[in-house]
Amino acid sequence: MNAVKLVAVFAENKPGQTARVTRILAHANLNIRWVTIASVGAFGVMKFLVDNAQLAYEALKHEGYVTTLLEVLAVEVSDQPGALHAVAECLAFHQINLENTSGFVANQRAILVLEVSDLARAREILQQQNLRVLTREEMLTL
Amino acid sequence: MNVFDHRHELMPRGELEQLQLERLQALLARLKRHVRRYREKLAGLNVESVADLARLPFTTPEEMAESFPYGFFACPMREIIRLHTTLGPQGKPLVIGHTRNDLSQWGRLAARQLAASGVTANDVIQVCFGGGAYGSAGYLFGAQVLEASVIAEEPAHADYQIAMLRNYRPTVLITTPTMALELAEVIEQRRLDPQSLQLRTVLLSRPVDRETRDRLAAGLSAPVQCNFGLGEILDPGLCVACPAGTFHLHEDQFLAEVQNGELVLTTLCREALPLLRYQTRVACELVQGKCACGRSGVQIVPGPRLDGRLRVKETPFYETQIAEVLAHTRAAGQPFTLKVSERHIVVSLELSEALFADTVWFVENLKRQIESDFLARLNLVAEVRFVNPRSQAVPDETGGPTLSPPETGRPLIQS
C-alpha cells in the first residue's frame, strides 16, 4: 500500500522562515493538507502533508532547504473518548515508541498521524486491531 | 617591598649577568650531553656572553609536540618524580617533567610571588582552582615553603566556598578569575558583607583587565593581584606580580627575549625539561627600568596569544579541537562556525540532507548529544545550533531526473 508521506523541512528559527517555505510550496501550486512545526530553540522542523510530496521535496531542495521525505502512519479512529488511548495502549503493549503524534477531525472522521521508528511493524499491529490505516490517496481525499 | 629571596631577586646587575652566563653555559653543556634533538642543533655552538644567546637555535611548541611525550627530557625517567600536562599547539598535549630539584625550585619561585603578595607563615590560604584548571600545584609548593596554612579542600559551589571562607577564615585566596567573579557575584546576590570575610589578598591565576581587577577588589574587599605564567615554562613561578601590577621576570632563572613580537624564553636551571629559546606563542613587550614597587630589571608585558588559542572561562582550546569533537559524532565532517563568548561556545553546524533525513525525529537529541560531547571531551559548555548549508543546492538546468534521495535516510522515500 502507498504509505502517507510528509515532507520535512529544516529551518533556522528566524522571522520569515515559515513564510519563505510556504511561498515556495504555493508557487509550486501545492496544497497543504496538514502541517506541524516543532521549534527547538534556534531551529525548527516543519512537516507538511501536501498533495505531491515528491514535488514539494524537489521544490524546497531547489531553493536550498535541507529537506527530507518521511513516512508516517495515518490511522482512522472512532471519534469518541478513549480512541487515542486504545492506539497508544496497543503500541505500548508491543514496545513501539511514538516519536511524534498529532490528530485532527475532518468531515466527522478522526485521524491520528503517527511517527514511529518501526513503521511496518506498527502498521501490522494496528491493522490486527482492526484499525484503519489510511493510504496516501485516502489521506489526500479526506 | 616583600622579598623572599633577597640574594637572587635583588642581585646587582653585573653579578646577575655573570650568573646568567654561567648558567647558560651549563645549560648548553647539559643540552648537548643529554638531549639528542639539541645535540644536533647545538653542535659547535658556544656562548661567550648572554648576548650570544641570539645566535642559538629556537625551540618551538610544534617540536615539543612532535617529541611527545618525553623527547625533550634531559634526565632519565628514574630522576623524574612528577609529570604535569599542558595544552600544546592545536590542542596536542605536552608533558612537563620535574625532578626533585625542579619541584623544590618551583616551590621557592612560587614562594617569591606569595611573599611579594604579603603572605607569611601566619596566613591561612585557600587555593581554589575548580575542576579542569591547571596549575594549583605550584601555589601549594610555594605555600609550603613559606609554611603558610593551606586549606586542602576544593568547595564544589560558591555557597560552600563562602561557608568555608567564613568558617576557616583564610586571609589569602588564590583562585581563577572565573571562580573569583562567581564568588563576588554570589556574595552580592546573598547581600553579604565582603569585609566580613577577612581576606587580605586575592591572587588570580592569570592576568585580567583593569576593570575586572577593580570589580573583584571591590566585590571581595581585598587587593587583587594577577599571576602570569606559561604551562610549558612554569606557572606560577615565571615572574613576580608586584602590588603595582607589574610582572617582574625571575632573571636568575629565565632569559626572556622578544622576537617579532613573540615572547621567547630560556630556562636556565630546569633539570628535567630545559628549553632553549622556546617560542611561547604569546605576544609580549619587555620593559627595562625601575618599577614603583622598587624592583628593577626586566618587566614582562604579556599580550594576546599568537597561535589562535581560545579560552572559555578557564578552559583553553583550539578550533581544531572543535572539529575533533565533532568527528566523534554523527555530524562528523559537517562545516561549522564557532563563536566564543565569555561563558560558552556556540557551534553553528551546517545540517546536511543526509544527516537531516537520518535524524529528522531526533534533531534535538543530536544537538544534546553533541553538546554533552563538548563538555565531556573538552570541558566546554557548548550550544549547538543547526543551520542551513551556506552553499545552497544548484538548480538542475537540464531538467533531467538528477535528484537523488538521501542515501542514509531512515524514512523510506522511494516512491
Side-chain angles (χ1 to χ4, degrees), chain B residues 105-127:
Chain B
Q105 186 61 35
W106 194 4
R108 286 196 296 276
L109 292 175
R112 290 186 191 180
Q113 173 65 68
L114 297 180
S117 304
V119 177
T120 69
N122 297 322
D123 282 297
V124 178
I125 307 181
Q126 181 169 47
V127 181

PDB file of all heavy atoms in Angstrom, chain B residues 105-127:
ATOM      1  N   GLN B 105      62.616  23.852  43.562  1.00  0.00           N
ATOM      2  CA  GLN B 105      62.861  25.161  42.961  1.00  0.00           C
ATOM      3  C   GLN B 105      61.530  25.846  42.622  1.00  0.00           C
ATOM      4  O   GLN B 105      61.358  27.046  42.832  1.00  0.00           O
ATOM      5  CB  GLN B 105      63.708  24.997  41.688  1.00  0.00           C
ATOM      6  CG  GLN B 105      64.151  26.298  41.057  1.00  0.00           C
ATOM      7  CD  GLN B 105      65.029  27.116  42.004  1.00  0.00           C
ATOM      8  OE1 GLN B 105      65.808  26.578  42.779  1.00  0.00           O
ATOM      9  NE2 GLN B 105      64.871  28.424  41.962  1.00  0.00           N
ATOM     10  N   TRP B 106      60.592  25.066  42.118  1.00  0.00           N
ATOM     11  CA  TRP B 106      59.264  25.601  41.786  1.00  0.00           C
ATOM     12  C   TRP B 106      58.631  26.195  43.044  1.00  0.00           C
ATOM     13  O   TRP B 106      58.071  27.300  43.021  1.00  0.00           O
ATOM     14  CB  TRP B 106      58.376  24.487  41.202  1.00  0.00           C
ATOM     15  CG  TRP B 106      57.131  24.975  40.540  1.00  0.00           C
ATOM     16  CD1 TRP B 106      56.769  26.276  40.346  1.00  0.00           C
ATOM     17  CD2 TRP B 106      56.086  24.166  39.987  1.00  0.00           C
ATOM     18  NE1 TRP B 106      55.553  26.335  39.699  1.00  0.00           N
ATOM     19  CE2 TRP B 106      55.114  25.047  39.472  1.00  0.00           C
ATOM     20  CE3 TRP B 106      55.874  22.790  39.880  1.00  0.00           C
ATOM     21  CZ2 TRP B 106      53.949  24.586  38.861  1.00  0.00           C
ATOM     22  CZ3 TRP B 106      54.723  22.329  39.267  1.00  0.00           C
ATOM     23  CH2 TRP B 106      53.771  23.233  38.756  1.00  0.00           C
ATOM     24  N   GLY B 107      58.760  25.457  44.142  1.00  0.00           N
ATOM     25  CA  GLY B 107      58.219  25.951  45.413  1.00  0.00           C
ATOM     26  C   GLY B 107      58.834  27.277  45.798  1.00  0.00           C
ATOM     27  O   GLY B 107      58.128  28.218  46.199  1.00  0.00           O
ATOM     28  N   ARG B 108      60.161  27.394  45.651  1.00  0.00           N
ATOM     29  CA  ARG B 108      60.826  28.647  46.045  1.00  0.00           C
ATOM     30  C   ARG B 108      60.420  29.800  45.126  1.00  0.00           C
ATOM     31  O   ARG B 108      60.280  30.938  45.560  1.00  0.00           O
ATOM     32  CB  ARG B 108      62.352  28.460  46.042  1.00  0.00           C
ATOM     33  CG  ARG B 108      62.856  27.640  47.228  1.00  0.00           C
ATOM     34  CD  ARG B 108      64.362  27.775  47.435  1.00  0.00           C
ATOM     35  NE  ARG B 108      65.125  27.236  46.320  1.00  0.00           N
ATOM     36  CZ  ARG B 108      65.448  25.942  46.192  1.00  0.00           C
ATOM     37  NH1 ARG B 108      65.072  25.071  47.113  1.00  0.00           N
ATOM     38  NH2 ARG B 108      66.137  25.520  45.165  1.00  0.00           N
ATOM     39  N   LEU B 109      60.223  29.480  43.835  1.00  0.00           N
ATOM     40  CA  LEU B 109      59.828  30.544  42.894  1.00  0.00           C
ATOM     41  C   LEU B 109      58.384  30.987  43.140  1.00  0.00           C
ATOM     42  O   LEU B 109      58.067  32.177  43.084  1.00  0.00           O
ATOM     43  CB  LEU B 109      59.997  30.063  41.449  1.00  0.00           C
ATOM     44  CG  LEU B 109      61.447  29.839  41.017  1.00  0.00           C
ATOM     45  CD1 LEU B 109      61.517  29.259  39.615  1.00  0.00           C
ATOM     46  CD2 LEU B 109      62.228  31.137  41.083  1.00  0.00           C
ATOM     47  N   ALA B 110      57.508  30.027  43.442  1.00  0.00           N
ATOM     48  CA  ALA B 110      56.122  30.398  43.759  1.00  0.00           C
ATOM     49  C   ALA B 110      56.103  31.176  45.078  1.00  0.00           C
ATOM     50  O   ALA B 110      55.304  32.104  45.250  1.00  0.00           O
ATOM     51  CB  ALA B 110      55.249  29.160  43.847  1.00  0.00           C
ATOM     52  N   ALA B 111      56.994  30.803  45.996  1.00  0.00           N
ATOM     53  CA  ALA B 111      57.061  31.499  47.280  1.00  0.00           C
ATOM     54  C   ALA B 111      57.449  32.962  47.078  1.00  0.00           C
ATOM     55  O   ALA B 111      57.007  33.834  47.835  1.00  0.00           O
ATOM     56  CB  ALA B 111      58.063  30.810  48.201  1.00  0.00           C
ATOM     57  N   ARG B 112      58.279  33.230  46.053  1.00  0.00           N
ATOM     58  CA  ARG B 112      58.627  34.629  45.774  1.00  0.00           C
ATOM     59  C   ARG B 112      57.359  35.428  45.500  1.00  0.00           C
ATOM     60  O   ARG B 112      57.204  36.557  45.958  1.00  0.00           O
ATOM     61  CB  ARG B 112      59.542  34.727  44.541  1.00  0.00           C
ATOM     62  CG  ARG B 112      60.936  34.180  44.763  1.00  0.00           C
ATOM     63  CD  ARG B 112      61.787  34.456  43.526  1.00  0.00           C
ATOM     64  NE  ARG B 112      63.051  33.732  43.565  1.00  0.00           N
ATOM     65  CZ  ARG B 112      63.966  33.807  42.613  1.00  0.00           C
ATOM     66  NH1 ARG B 112      63.757  34.562  41.539  1.00  0.00           N
ATOM     67  NH2 ARG B 112      65.088  33.135  42.702  1.00  0.00           N
ATOM     68  N   GLN B 113      56.439  34.829  44.709  1.00  0.00           N
ATOM     69  CA  GLN B 113      55.190  35.516  44.398  1.00  0.00           C
ATOM     70  C   GLN B 113      54.339  35.702  45.654  1.00  0.00           C
ATOM     71  O   GLN B 113      53.829  36.784  45.917  1.00  0.00           O
ATOM     72  CB  GLN B 113      54.402  34.727  43.352  1.00  0.00           C
ATOM     73  CG  GLN B 113      53.012  35.280  43.088  1.00  0.00           C
ATOM     74  CD  GLN B 113      53.054  36.669  42.459  1.00  0.00           C
ATOM     75  OE1 GLN B 113      53.469  36.819  41.333  1.00  0.00           O
ATOM     76  NE2 GLN B 113      52.668  37.693  43.219  1.00  0.00           N
ATOM     77  N   LEU B 114      54.214  34.624  46.415  1.00  0.00           N
ATOM     78  CA  LEU B 114      53.370  34.703  47.608  1.00  0.00           C
ATOM     79  C   LEU B 114      53.933  35.735  48.580  1.00  0.00           C
ATOM     80  O   LEU B 114      53.191  36.542  49.151  1.00  0.00           O
ATOM     81  CB  LEU B 114      53.260  33.324  48.272  1.00  0.00           C
ATOM     82  CG  LEU B 114      52.577  32.251  47.411  1.00  0.00           C
ATOM     83  CD1 LEU B 114      52.527  30.922  48.152  1.00  0.00           C
ATOM     84  CD2 LEU B 114      51.171  32.687  47.039  1.00  0.00           C
ATOM     85  N   ALA B 115      55.249  35.717  48.764  1.00  0.00           N
ATOM     86  CA  ALA B 115      55.868  36.675  49.680  1.00  0.00           C
ATOM     87  C   ALA B 115      55.627  38.099  49.183  1.00  0.00           C
ATOM     88  O   ALA B 115      55.299  38.995  49.971  1.00  0.00           O
ATOM     89  CB  ALA B 115      57.365  36.398  49.798  1.00  0.00           C
ATOM     90  N   ALA B 116      55.754  38.283  47.858  1.00  0.00           N
ATOM     91  CA  ALA B 116      55.525  39.619  47.297  1.00  0.00           C
ATOM     92  C   ALA B 116      54.088  40.066  47.537  1.00  0.00           C
ATOM     93  O   ALA B 116      53.808  41.262  47.657  1.00  0.00           O
ATOM     94  CB  ALA B 116      55.829  39.619  45.798  1.00  0.00           C
ATOM     95  N   SER B 117      53.160  39.112  47.622  1.00  0.00           N
ATOM     96  CA  SER B 117      51.765  39.444  47.897  1.00  0.00           C
ATOM     97  C   SER B 117      51.512  39.576  49.394  1.00  0.00           C
ATOM     98  O   SER B 117      50.367  39.730  49.811  1.00  0.00           O
ATOM     99  CB  SER B 117      50.829  38.361  47.333  1.00  0.00           C
ATOM    100  OG  SER B 117      51.064  38.198  45.955  1.00  0.00           O
ATOM    101  N   GLY B 118      52.565  39.446  50.180  1.00  0.00           N
ATOM    102  CA  GLY B 118      52.432  39.678  51.622  1.00  0.00           C
ATOM    103  C   GLY B 118      52.108  38.441  52.433  1.00  0.00           C
ATOM    104  O   GLY B 118      51.774  38.533  53.612  1.00  0.00           O
ATOM    105  N   VAL B 119      52.213  37.251  51.813  1.00  0.00           N
ATOM    106  CA  VAL B 119      51.878  36.022  52.540  1.00  0.00           C
ATOM    107  C   VAL B 119      53.016  35.653  53.489  1.00  0.00           C
ATOM    108  O   VAL B 119      54.195  35.725  53.124  1.00  0.00           O
ATOM    109  CB  VAL B 119      51.625  34.868  51.548  1.00  0.00           C
ATOM    110  CG1 VAL B 119      51.337  33.569  52.287  1.00  0.00           C
ATOM    111  CG2 VAL B 119      50.484  35.224  50.608  1.00  0.00           C
ATOM    112  N   THR B 120      52.663  35.270  54.703  1.00  0.00           N
ATOM    113  CA  THR B 120      53.652  34.797  55.684  1.00  0.00           C
ATOM    114  C   THR B 120      53.150  33.498  56.300  1.00  0.00           C
ATOM    115  O   THR B 120      52.057  33.021  55.977  1.00  0.00           O
ATOM    116  CB  THR B 120      53.842  35.812  56.826  1.00  0.00           C
ATOM    117  OG1 THR B 120      52.634  35.833  57.602  1.00  0.00           O
ATOM    118  CG2 THR B 120      54.141  37.201  56.301  1.00  0.00           C
ATOM    119  N   ALA B 121      53.935  32.967  57.229  1.00  0.00           N
ATOM    120  CA  ALA B 121      53.555  31.720  57.905  1.00  0.00           C
ATOM    121  C   ALA B 121      52.286  31.895  58.730  1.00  0.00           C
ATOM    122  O   ALA B 121      51.654  30.915  59.131  1.00  0.00           O
ATOM    123  CB  ALA B 121      54.707  31.241  58.783  1.00  0.00           C
ATOM    124  N   ASN B 122      51.911  33.119  59.014  1.00  0.00           N
ATOM    125  CA  ASN B 122      50.713  33.370  59.817  1.00  0.00           C
ATOM    126  C   ASN B 122      49.427  33.295  58.997  1.00  0.00           C
ATOM    127  O   ASN B 122      48.342  33.349  59.564  1.00  0.00           O
ATOM    128  CB  ASN B 122      50.785  34.754  60.468  1.00  0.00           C
ATOM    129  CG  ASN B 122      51.941  34.856  61.438  1.00  0.00           C
ATOM    130  OD1 ASN B 122      52.236  33.891  62.138  1.00  0.00           O
ATOM    131  ND2 ASN B 122      52.627  35.992  61.432  1.00  0.00           N
ATOM    132  N   ASP B 123      49.567  33.202  57.670  1.00  0.00           N
ATOM    133  CA  ASP B 123      48.371  33.243  56.828  1.00  0.00           C
ATOM    134  C   ASP B 123      47.746  31.870  56.628  1.00  0.00           C
ATOM    135  O   ASP B 123      48.427  30.846  56.654  1.00  0.00           O
ATOM    136  CB  ASP B 123      48.724  33.832  55.451  1.00  0.00           C
ATOM    137  CG  ASP B 123      48.838  35.341  55.502  1.00  0.00           C
ATOM    138  OD1 ASP B 123      47.825  35.986  55.804  1.00  0.00           O
ATOM    139  OD2 ASP B 123      49.951  35.862  55.261  1.00  0.00           O
ATOM    140  N   VAL B 124      46.433  31.901  56.436  1.00  0.00           N
ATOM    141  CA  VAL B 124      45.707  30.708  56.002  1.00  0.00           C
ATOM    142  C   VAL B 124      45.307  30.962  54.554  1.00  0.00           C
ATOM    143  O   VAL B 124      44.756  32.020  54.234  1.00  0.00           O
ATOM    144  CB  VAL B 124      44.449  30.464  56.862  1.00  0.00           C
ATOM    145  CG1 VAL B 124      43.687  29.248  56.351  1.00  0.00           C
ATOM    146  CG2 VAL B 124      44.830  30.282  58.321  1.00  0.00           C
ATOM    147  N   ILE B 125      45.635  30.015  53.669  1.00  0.00           N
ATOM    148  CA  ILE B 125      45.407  30.226  52.239  1.00  0.00           C
ATOM    149  C   ILE B 125      44.361  29.251  51.727  1.00  0.00           C
ATOM    150  O   ILE B 125      44.421  28.055  51.994  1.00  0.00           O
ATOM    151  CB  ILE B 125      46.704  29.997  51.427  1.00  0.00           C
ATOM    152  CG1 ILE B 125      47.847  30.842  51.989  1.00  0.00           C
ATOM    153  CG2 ILE B 125      46.488  30.331  49.957  1.00  0.00           C
ATOM    154  CD1 ILE B 125      49.150  30.685  51.241  1.00  0.00           C
ATOM    155  N   GLN B 126      43.402  29.773  50.995  1.00  0.00           N
ATOM    156  CA  GLN B 126      42.507  28.884  50.253  1.00  0.00           C
ATOM    157  C   GLN B 126      42.945  28.894  48.791  1.00  0.00           C
ATOM    158  O   GLN B 126      42.938  29.953  48.150  1.00  0.00           O
ATOM    159  CB  GLN B 126      41.057  29.323  50.371  1.00  0.00           C
ATOM    160  CG  GLN B 126      40.147  28.374  49.615  1.00  0.00           C
ATOM    161  CD  GLN B 126      38.685  28.591  49.899  1.00  0.00           C
ATOM    162  OE1 GLN B 126      38.209  29.707  49.884  1.00  0.00           O
ATOM    163  NE2 GLN B 126      37.979  27.508  50.157  1.00  0.00           N
ATOM    164  N   VAL B 127      43.356  27.722  48.308  1.00  0.00           N
ATOM    165  CA  VAL B 127      43.722  27.577  46.894  1.00  0.00           C
ATOM    166  C   VAL B 127      42.565  26.868  46.220  1.00  0.00           C
ATOM    167  O   VAL B 127      42.221  25.753  46.572  1.00  0.00           O
ATOM    168  CB  VAL B 127      45.019  26.757  46.721  1.00  0.00           C
ATOM    169  CG1 VAL B 127      45.377  26.665  45.240  1.00  0.00           C
ATOM    170  CG2 VAL B 127      46.159  27.383  47.494  1.00  0.00           C
TER     171      VAL B 127
END
